[in-house]
Amino acid sequence: TLQSSIWKNAIKDAIIETKRLPDGNERMEAVRLRFWDNTYELYGIAKQIFVSEDTVKRWTNSFVQLVGKNAGY
């Protein structure tokens, strides 16, 4: 559907934009662990990538906001 296509493109673009950041790979690892793998709580993600829980929250929330912006929200 059109709506599905919009969201897929928004996510793809957010991934590209996030990877361009100086800490983009670490951010994408946090996103992957939180949303796609869904195997860790925030504390576990923070331990895996050696950042604070607040950083994981900030990075993953920023990614979600970027997806929404890219989708036109």
Side-chain angles (χ1 to χ4, degrees), residues 32-71:
R32 182 183 67 78
L33 291 170
R34 185 165 186 196
F35 299 123
W36 284 291
D37 290 0
N38 201 25
T39 53
Y40 295 99
E41 304 270 337
L42 291 174
Y43 174 76
I45 296 168
K47 280 183 63 175
Q48 286 278 42
I49 58 176
F50 308 105
V51 298
S52 70
E53 288 181 66
D54 286 340
T55 297
V56 172
K57 280 190 237 179
R58 189 173 61 253
W59 285 353
T60 55
N61 288 343
S62 292
F63 183 81
V64 170
Q65 290 173 352
L66 185 55
V67 170
K69 179 180 153 238
N70 290 344

